[in-house]
């Protein structure tokens, strides 16, 4: 397991999106907290510490250590979703740690969830729960089974809301038989491919219901469900409430 799996979060201190224009140069001294940073667009930033460079772009996640000093250079203009936090001394990172990512769709949804919680004064416990989910995903990226499934997960990330997305197509992307793919997937993610897709779609649906004044039908269509009935039934199975009840509870 990678070092990120040892993090014990004591406090989330900030969640936001940091714009970084091309050509930007910035010197940071004695950073006051840890940060986990992503990039979901075409931006790129290079951090330099003691002559060593660490690149942050849409293929990576990066941990910036507490108390670290570094130079930041904007290689390409982009937005960088960032979570600032404090952790126990068991996490001993002293220089940036770069994690290579295969599929960013799940991270983007989790980050949006955290951002909504932060902006609405959400409880630390709830934000930590989402953050630990992010950490778990990053840690699992280094698992050999995860690498074997990387092609299918990349395809899934780009087609998660396509109503025609099928487990059969995902198995073809991984160059595996359907039976072996389902077995590998369940070992890696703890659920079947179908359940994983549904849970990811419902997570995004919750985000839409929280942030926008949209109809249940529009949310169902946006999240790749063939019918409102199927969406409502699946939503209640996973969350325990109907989409309307969930939206009213968050208003």
């Amino acid at each position: 397991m990678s070092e990120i799996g040892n993090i014990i979060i004591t406090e989330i201190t900030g969640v936001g999106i940091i714009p970084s224009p091309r050509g930007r140069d910035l010197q940071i001294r004695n950073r006051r907290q840890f940060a986990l940073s992503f990039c979901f667009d075409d931006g790129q930033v290079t951090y330099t510490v003691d002559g060593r460079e660490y690149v942050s772009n849409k293929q990576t996640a990066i941990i910036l250590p507490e108390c670290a000093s570094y130079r930041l250079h904007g290689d390409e203009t982009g937005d960088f979703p960032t979570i600032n936090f404090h952790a126990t001394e068991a996490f001993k990172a002293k220089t940036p740690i770069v994690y290579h990512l295969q599929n960013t769709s799940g991270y983007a949804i989790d980050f949006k969830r955290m951002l909504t919680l932060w902006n609405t004064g959400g409880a630390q416990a709830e934000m930590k729960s989402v953050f630990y989910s992010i950490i778990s995903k990053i840690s699992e990226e280094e698992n050999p089974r995860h690498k074997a499934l990387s092609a299918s997960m990349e395809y899934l990330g780009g087609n998660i809301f396509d109503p025609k997305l099928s487990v059969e197509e995902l198995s073809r992307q991984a160059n595996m038989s359907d039976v072996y793919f389902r077995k590998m997937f369940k070992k890696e993610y703890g659920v079947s491919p179908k359940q994983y897709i549904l849970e990811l779609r419902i997570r995004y649906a919750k985000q839409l219901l929280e942030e926008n004044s949209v109809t249940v039908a529009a949310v169902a269509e946006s999240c790749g469900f063939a019918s409102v009935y199927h969406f409502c039934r699946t939503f209640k199975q996973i969350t325990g409430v109907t989409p309307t009840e969930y939206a009213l509870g968050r208003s």
Side-chain angles (χ1 to χ4, degrees):
M1 181 176 289
S2 62
E3 189 171 1
I4 196 172
N6 297 324
I7 293 179
I8 299 176
I9 307 300
T10 57
E11 183 183 9
I12 306 293
T13 58
V15 182
I17 299 176
I18 301 175
S20 179
R22 183 177 183 178
R24 176 192 187 202
D25 276 296
L26 189 64
Q27 185 71 42
I28 303 295
R29 299 189 184 280
N30 298 318
R31 184 179 178 83
R32 290 181 294 177
Q33 64 262 307
F34 289 100
L36 173 61
S37 181
F38 296 93
C39 184
F40 301 137
D41 55 26
D42 293 326
Q44 180 169 301
V45 163
T46 297
Y47 300 90
T48 303
V49 181
D50 296 329
R52 183 174 178 181
E53 295 184 343
Y54 304 83
V55 175
S56 174
N57 54 33
K58 63 183 178 182
Q59 284 85 40
T60 65
I62 188 167
I63 290 280
L64 301 172
E66 191 173 47
C67 301
S69 297
Y70 52 85
R71 175 178 171 266
L72 178 156
H73 177 75
D75 303 317
E76 299 293 341
T77 298
D79 292 327
F80 292 80
T82 301
I83 303 165
N84 293 315
F85 62 95
H86 291 302
T88 63
E89 293 183 2
F91 186 62
K92 301 182 182 298
K94 300 300 181 184
T95 57
I97 307 174
V98 176
Y99 300 93
H100 295 279
L101 309 178
Q102 296 292 336
N103 172 37
T104 60
S105 60
Y107 297 111
I109 292 172
D110 283 341
F111 177 81
K112 288 178 181 178
R113 172 73 175 148
M114 285 199 70
L115 185 61
T116 297
L117 288 169
W118 178 261
N119 288 336
T120 57
Q124 281 281 320
E126 192 170 2
M127 286 190 285
K128 287 178 183 178
S129 175
V130 180
F131 194 30
Y132 279 123
S133 175
I134 293 172
I135 289 170
S136 177
K137 287 185 179 73
I138 294 174
S139 183
E140 285 297 320
E141 292 270 14
E142 298 180 354
N143 187 304
R145 286 195 303 269
H146 186 100
K147 293 179 179 179
L149 296 169
S150 62
S152 62
M153 293 305 292
E154 183 176 355
Y155 181 84
L156 187 153
N159 297 274
I160 184 63
F161 304 125
D162 183 351
K164 297 180 181 179
L165 177 65
S166 67
V167 175
E168 290 72 24
E169 179 58 36
L170 293 177
S171 66
R172 282 194 290 272
Q173 292 292 325
N175 197 28
M176 300 177 186
S177 69
D178 290 354
V179 172
Y180 187 64
F181 174 77
R182 292 171 195 269
K183 182 179 178 180
M184 287 280 288
F185 196 100
K186 182 71 176 290
K187 284 184 178 180
E188 173 64 14
Y189 295 101
V191 295
S192 68
K194 181 179 178 180
Q195 187 65 21
Y196 183 93
I197 292 168
L198 289 176
E199 290 181 359
L200 200 59
R201 287 175 173 176
I202 293 300
R203 194 181 307 171
Y204 182 62
K206 289 165 69 175
Q207 183 74 28
L208 292 178
L209 290 168
E210 291 172 13
E211 291 184 350
N212 302 301
S213 299
V214 293
T215 66
V216 172
V219 173
E221 183 178 0
S222 296
C223 295
F225 288 89
S227 71
V228 176
Y229 172 76
H230 183 212
F231 168 63
C232 291
R233 185 180 64 179
T234 303
F235 193 97
K236 187 166 186 177
Q237 286 175 342
I238 292 177
T239 68
V241 297
T242 66
T244 301
E245 289 170 340
Y246 183 86
L248 290 174
R250 294 284 173 164
S251 61

